[in-house]
Amino acid sequence: MHYTAIYDLWAKPLIDWRSLVLPFGLAVAALVAAYFTRPGSGRTGLLIFSVAAVVVSVGIPSFDLYQLKRHKPVTVEGPIVGYWEKEWVERRDGKNNSYSYEAFQVDTVSFGYYRNVGMAGFHNGEAERIPLHDGMFVRIQYVPERQLDDDRILNRIVKLEISQK
């Protein structure tokens, strides 16, 4: 059977440069503001903020990617079954927060992810979503990841291939 790779974590850059524009811009602005303020008038806080903006924006995604890449992926192959998706809006602190979740099974392995949350691994959150559906034949490489808060296993997709019959 011939497959076409739709997503491959190893073919992706470590960090998308577009996600760094805002944090680096804030860091530069904080550094400029710290340079022009008097010592003792919040200068230390601005310097700490500029370092934290860069560390958080680069460190967290890099660590997430490192965690996925350090494990040997498991492969499952077969048709998608039990596909479902849900989109909803919750109002919290006076603002609307939109959520989008997608889930399915291949063989006996379950996959589920929030599409609008940036993370390492496939989460179908690109501008053009992959139209997944029941019966679609796929081959998936994934890393089972134990969750810290409730000890369940989340299967993170590192490579998704779709059959071209």
Side-chain angles (χ1 to χ4, degrees):
M1 191 167 291
H2 178 69
Y3 288 95
T4 300
I6 301 301
Y7 177 84
D8 189 353
L9 180 68
W10 287 271
K12 298 275 184 192
L14 179 63
I15 294 178
D16 182 11
W17 69 269
R18 292 172 294 192
S19 66
L20 299 177
V21 171
L22 180 62
F24 276 104
L26 288 172
V28 168
L31 287 172
V32 168
Y35 180 77
F36 287 109
T37 58
R38 293 185 324 267
S41 62
R43 179 184 242 177
T44 305
L46 287 170
L47 292 172
I48 290 171
F49 173 79
S50 65
V51 170
V54 173
V55 167
V56 167
S57 64
V58 175
I60 291 174
S62 296
F63 182 72
D64 191 28
L65 185 62
Y66 165 76
Q67 287 293 90
L68 279 182
K69 285 188 171 185
R70 74 185 190 108
H71 297 288
K72 183 175 176 12
V74 180
T75 302
V76 66
E77 187 173 348
I80 291 177
V81 294
Y83 175 85
W84 63 273
E85 63 182 305
K86 181 180 178 183
E87 295 192 18
W88 71 98
V89 176
E90 288 181 4
R91 187 155 181 84
R92 189 176 312 151
D93 298 329
K95 359 186 269 197
N96 290 335
N97 297 310
S98 298
Y99 298 95
S100 180
Y101 195 83
E102 185 170 57
F104 56 90
Q105 279 190 322
V106 176
D107 198 13
T108 60
V109 182
S110 297
F111 299 96
Y113 42 81
Y114 287 95
R115 289 192 284 208
N116 55 340
V117 175
M119 62 184 211
F122 178 77
H123 56 93
N124 213 4
E126 299 297 323
E128 287 192 35
R129 292 185 177 155
I130 309 302
L132 301 174
H133 55 81
D134 281 345
M136 179 182 279
F137 208 85
V138 295
R139 179 168 55 197
I140 296 177
Q141 291 183 9
Y142 65 97
V143 173
E145 185 177 67
R146 184 170 303 283
Q147 301 302 293
L148 297 175
D149 57 349
D150 60 4
D151 226 23
R152 65 189 166 95
I153 301 292
L154 178 68
N155 296 313
R156 306 254 317 256
I157 300 172
V158 295
K159 187 172 186 178
L160 172 64
E161 299 170 292
I162 296 178
S163 171
Q164 301 297 314
K165 292 185 180 183

